[in-house]
Amino acid sequence: MSVNKEIKKVTTNTLHNMKAAGEKISMLTAYDYSFAKIIDNAGIDVILVGDSASNVMAGHETTLPITLDQMIYHAASVIRAINRSLVVVDLPFGSYQSNSDIALASAIRIMKESGGHSIKLEGGEEVLKSIKKIVSAGIPVMGHLGLTPQSIYKFGTYTVRAKEEDEANKLRNDAKLLEEAGCFAIVLEKIPAALAKEVSESISIPTIGIGAGGHCDGQVLVMHDMLGINTEFKPRFLRQYLNIHEQATTAVQQYIKDVKSNDFPNETEQY
Ligand code: KIV
């Protein structure tokens, strides 16, 4: 394999330095080769192979059904496309909650079989032992606090988390514990902006927000939502940059018309 020495690859160290320099971190999800190539070429810092693939790629209602094998398939496709970005791969539901040995085994499978650069898992104190074990095996870990979609049946709703003081205090404490355990960054999902600001200022590792306001050290969105591929999900925090759903529908309708009317293919589109 040839290594392009001109491209400066993003590492966990780069993210640490970006936080120290006050430079915001950009992160988007991707699950396949073609979109990962577009996003990487566009200059994104971090690509998350999120378990949101369960929703946007497979059409499930929650992130729970996606398997470790399926995450590895998506991550390997993304890895084949990228030159520069740091790739983080979600440990799916069921692949780490039982105990820290299983968590480490799952993280190792992701690193070996997909070529991903790091893993992400959801939770605070409950998963601390697993995080420490994975980090001590040399695998970079991104934490995820606030709305953790793998616990949706516990929460019962996708509403904003940590609005009450008890939950906010647990989140403050969890963020510190994740930093001490060696996480290189933490996703803060759907929590009050003021709390995200306080947490971001209280730890030295970067926070990446989604629905957590503008004071996080970086931002992440699900690619299908921000490109308007999936138009069913329109939370307040989402900025939609394109409407691919509408554009693709128009293009497909035009193609159907052209085929039916014998306009396609024309003489230059044949051999
Ligand atoms: O799976 C995912 O897309 C995520 C982001 C929402 C952070 O975890």
Side-chain angles (χ1 to χ4, degrees):
M1 194 178 79
S2 69
V3 177
N4 185 341
K5 292 209 173 69
E6 279 167 27
I7 292 170
K8 191 139 177 47
K9 289 179 188 290
V10 178
T11 66
T12 57
N13 219 14
T14 316
L15 304 188
H16 187 84
N17 294 339
M18 285 170 80
K19 171 161 181 148
E23 186 186 339
K24 296 279 184 175
I25 297 162
S26 60
M27 175 160 132
L28 276 177
T29 63
Y31 320 96
D32 72 298
Y33 175 85
S34 301
F35 271 114
K37 207 167 190 63
I38 293 172
I39 293 174
D40 181 69
N41 281 338
I44 202 83
D45 298 311
V46 185
I47 291 181
L48 171 65
V49 185
D51 59 357
S52 48
S54 179
N55 309 104
V56 297
M57 298 298 287
H60 292 296
E61 212 170 295
T62 73
T63 57
L64 275 70
I66 200 160
T67 65
L68 186 56
D69 284 338
Q70 288 165 341
M71 288 304 298
I72 289 169
Y73 168 80
H74 286 297
S77 307
V78 166
I79 283 289
R80 283 192 284 274
I82 60 112
N83 280 316
R84 175 184 172 274
S85 323
L86 178 77
V87 176
V88 182
V89 185
D90 262 338
L91 280 188
F93 178 69
S95 73
Y96 64 96
Q97 287 90 348
S98 321
N99 65 54
S100 58
D101 289 331
I102 290 178
L104 176 59
S106 301
I108 288 175
R109 277 203 62 201
I110 286 190
M111 301 300 281
K112 276 182 101 78
E113 296 176 39
S114 77
H117 308 143
S118 59
I119 62 99
K120 172 166 86 57
L121 51 77
E122 297 181 3
E125 198 168 4
E126 325 66 54
V127 288
L128 209 61
K129 198 169 162 202
S130 298
I131 291 176
K132 286 182 180 164
K133 199 159 202 158
I134 296 169
V135 169
S136 60
I139 300 171
V141 176
M142 179 179 273
H144 185 154
L145 299 173
L147 177 66
T148 47
Q150 291 178 12
S151 302
I152 188 57
Y153 290 113
K154 185 178 86 182
F155 298 145
T157 160
Y158 284 101
T159 193
V160 180
R161 304 305 314 174
K163 276 166 60 181
E164 307 299 329
E165 209 41 29
D166 277 0
E167 198 177 330
N169 278 338
K170 173 167 166 36
L171 193 142
R172 287 182 185 99
N173 189 49
D174 281 343
K176 285 261 175 223
L177 291 173
L178 295 192
E179 178 184 29
E180 283 160 20
C183 283
F184 70 89
I186 304 174
V187 166
L188 297 177
E189 179 164 355
K190 231 174 169 186
I191 62 169
L195 177 62
K197 178 175 189 287
E198 187 196 323
V199 170
S200 302
E201 288 169 359
S202 73
I203 56 177
S204 64
I205 56 173
T207 58
I208 314 284
I210 174 163
H215 292 283
C216 294
D217 302 302
Q219 296 293 326
V220 58
L221 285 176
V222 170
M223 182 196 68
H224 285 63
D225 300 335
M226 63 83 75
L227 292 182
I229 298 170
N230 165 30
T231 52
E232 292 151 25
F233 183 67
K234 285 204 173 132
R236 173 163 146 188
F237 68 76
L238 174 66
R239 188 176 294 179
Q240 194 181 308
Y241 288 82
L242 268 182
N243 193 335
I244 290 186
H245 181 89
E246 205 175 283
Q247 289 172 302
T249 303
T250 306
V252 172
Q253 285 170 338
Q254 185 61 48
Y255 168 73
I256 295 168
K257 227 170 109 194
D258 291 351
V259 170
K260 302 272 184 200
S261 66
N262 223 7
D263 180 77
F264 175 80
N266 65 23
E267 292 203 342
T268 65
E269 291 162 331
Q270 64 191 14
Y271 299 99

